[in-house]
Amino acid sequence: MKRKTCATQRAGDPSAIGYFGRAALAFVVAVVGLAFAPVASAHGGHVAVNGVELEQWYGLVPLVLGVGIVVASQYLHRVRPSAVRYRLHGTLLGIAVGIFGAIWIVQLSPYEWLTAQPIVPRAIHAPLMLLAGGVIMLVGVLAGQFRWPRRPRFAGLGVLLGAWVAYPGLSALGIYTETNSVGYLIVLGLVVALGYVLYRDAGGLIRRLLADRGARRFGLAVGTLSVLFFAFSSGMLYLIPDDGVGVSLSKPIVAVLPVADPLVMWPAIEFWYPRVPIGGVISVGTAILVALFGTLIGLNAALFAFQSRGGTSQTGAGIAGVAAPQACCCCGPALSQIAVVVLGPSAGAPIYLLFGDPSSSIGSLFFVASVALLTGLLVRAADRPTDARPERTTAPA
């Protein structure tokens, strides 16, 4: 008779999993606590809280610390084998701390980027997007034809990803509009095609992940944190508002307006509640993106947790599953804000605009790469069951 090791038992134990909830709760409490702090001035690269000046670059401390915790958690068991059961704990804690630092950096963004010029001139964005989108569509068709001839859905997904990049570039031909039904079909078609690919090629794996309590909770926690990161880094949510002209920030604001992102015009709600304080602009299109990213990142994180239960070294899919948020287009503003902190507002602002400007082709390429990476990791793990099944260390009873 054989029994599971302590590390394997603890990975699915409710008391161990409860740590995930406490870590996520601590992150939320930290953000809410920062929100409730009385703010005297903000968005000049610093904020004054109770007379104490908090600089933007202070956010680098938790950001670097969080990354260090995540990396250390993956190798701690090599120094002390019994510490393998803390791998998921440390990973989640590091992600939460790092995201807190990234949100800090973005929230204290200075004004200077508004008047800067991007590195890539806006005049050539449209031709670049049209060319890049065409190349992606061509590569998708060729890969589907020669690499996966029995899975034409892969080629269809590649074509839709390329169309996402190429659609705004149609303005170079004078046929792009923000209300064209083709843009809406691309957005909704991509979501449907992605769901179909996951159902056909990774459905069994996803069902196993959802049936595993530990993997499911870890994926939910990481997916939720990634949604918060996406929302704050992309400007969907904010704790420190910009000073509006002719607008009183002492009163609640709720308004319905159209927003041209992603690709086309979407109905959106703009709100600001000074008592919390929290505000933001959330559209139907951005809600779709948030749900898509949160789901993909959460599933990859659940795969990582599923693979971690045996205490073995992680596969490339597992590590990339946790690191995948760094590839998301929402990270562009956060990473470019680091350039603002390091280089200064004048030198770093053009880099920020390269990622933050809605007309920039870089954001679309980050989005396409993220979807392809996250989806490919799940499909690859489903095709190789030994990568998705946790190894269990056994010992004589």
Side-chain angles (χ1 to χ4, degrees):
M1 181 177 179
K2 296 181 178 181
R3 61 182 175 83
K4 301 176 183 177
T5 61
C6 179
T8 302
Q9 291 174 331
R10 287 293 302 274
D13 183 40
S15 62
I17 299 303
Y19 184 87
F20 300 155
R22 292 194 294 272
L25 178 61
F27 170 80
V28 173
V29 169
V31 173
V32 172
L34 180 63
F36 274 95
V39 177
S41 62
H43 267 292
H46 66 278
V47 59
V49 179
N50 288 333
V52 179
E53 294 287 336
L54 301 180
E55 299 290 340
Q56 185 187 27
W57 69 267
Y58 291 176
L60 288 175
V61 176
L63 178 61
V64 174
L65 177 62
V67 173
I69 293 174
V70 171
V71 173
S73 299
Q74 311 313 311
Y75 297 97
L76 183 62
H77 68 283
R78 297 186 179 182
V79 179
R80 187 176 182 181
S82 61
V84 67
R85 62 181 180 269
Y86 299 115
R87 173 183 288 169
L88 296 183
H89 302 168
T91 299
L92 185 62
L93 177 63
I95 291 174
V97 173
I99 288 178
F100 177 78
I103 291 176
W104 182 315
I105 292 173
V106 173
Q107 288 296 292
L108 297 186
S109 170
Y111 283 119
E112 284 84 344
W113 71 271
L114 291 170
T115 58
Q117 295 297 320
I119 296 176
V120 180
R122 293 186 177 91
I124 66 173
H125 279 174
L128 286 178
M129 296 175 74
L130 189 60
L131 176 62
V135 170
I136 293 173
M137 286 189 283
L138 178 61
V139 171
V141 171
L142 293 177
Q145 179 67 30
F146 297 103
R147 180 66 176 83
W148 299 285
R150 296 185 179 181
R151 296 179 176 181
R153 51 192 173 274
F154 288 0
L157 181 60
V159 169
L160 285 170
L161 290 174
W164 185 291
V165 176
Y167 179 74
L170 293 177
S171 60
L173 305 178
I175 57 177
Y176 165 79
T177 64
E178 294 178 341
T179 57
N180 194 313
S181 58
V182 174
Y184 296 98
L185 290 176
I186 292 174
V187 175
L188 299 179
L190 178 60
V191 175
V192 172
L194 184 61
Y196 181 68
V197 167
L198 292 177
Y199 171 77
R200 287 292 303 274
D201 299 283
L205 171 64
I206 292 174
R207 286 189 291 271
R208 291 196 299 274
L209 296 178
L210 296 179
D212 186 281
R213 187 178 184 182
R216 182 177 68 248
R217 291 192 175 186
F218 183 80
L220 179 62
V222 175
T224 301
L225 290 173
S226 69
V227 166
L228 289 174
F229 179 36
F230 183 99
F232 281 103
S233 65
S234 63
M236 291 174 55
L237 295 177
Y238 52 82
L239 301 174
I240 304 174
D242 294 327
D243 296 329
V245 179
V247 177
S248 174
L249 296 178
S250 62
K251 299 180 180 178
I253 299 174
V254 178
V256 178
L257 68 163
V259 174
D261 184 41
L263 299 188
V264 286
M265 300 293 292
W266 301 89
I269 296 178
E270 181 180 12
F271 61 93
W272 165 246
Y273 295 102
R275 290 189 177 182
V276 176
I278 191 171
V281 180
I282 301 177
S283 71
V284 174
T286 53
I288 292 175
L289 285 185
V290 166
L292 187 149
F293 273 125
T295 300
L296 287 177
I297 294 173
L299 288 174
N300 275 273
L303 175 61
F304 172 83
F306 197 62
Q307 294 172 327
S308 295
R309 293 190 304 157
T312 58
S313 297
Q314 293 306 298
T315 63
I319 294 296
V322 173
Q326 303 303 320
C328 295
C329 63
C330 61
C331 295
L335 295 177
S336 53
Q337 279 292 347
I338 295 177
V340 174
V341 173
V342 175
L343 302 177
S346 299
I351 300 177
Y352 178 86
L353 285 180
L354 187 64
F355 294 92
D357 189 353
S359 64
S360 173
S361 57
I362 301 299
S364 296
L365 294 177
F366 264 72
F367 170 78
V368 168
S370 302
V371 172
L373 171 64
L374 294 168
T375 305
L377 291 174
L378 291 171
V379 172
R380 181 177 180 273
D383 288 342
R384 301 176 62 181
T386 55
D387 284 353
R389 184 176 61 250
E391 299 182 21
R392 300 181 184 275
T393 305
T394 58

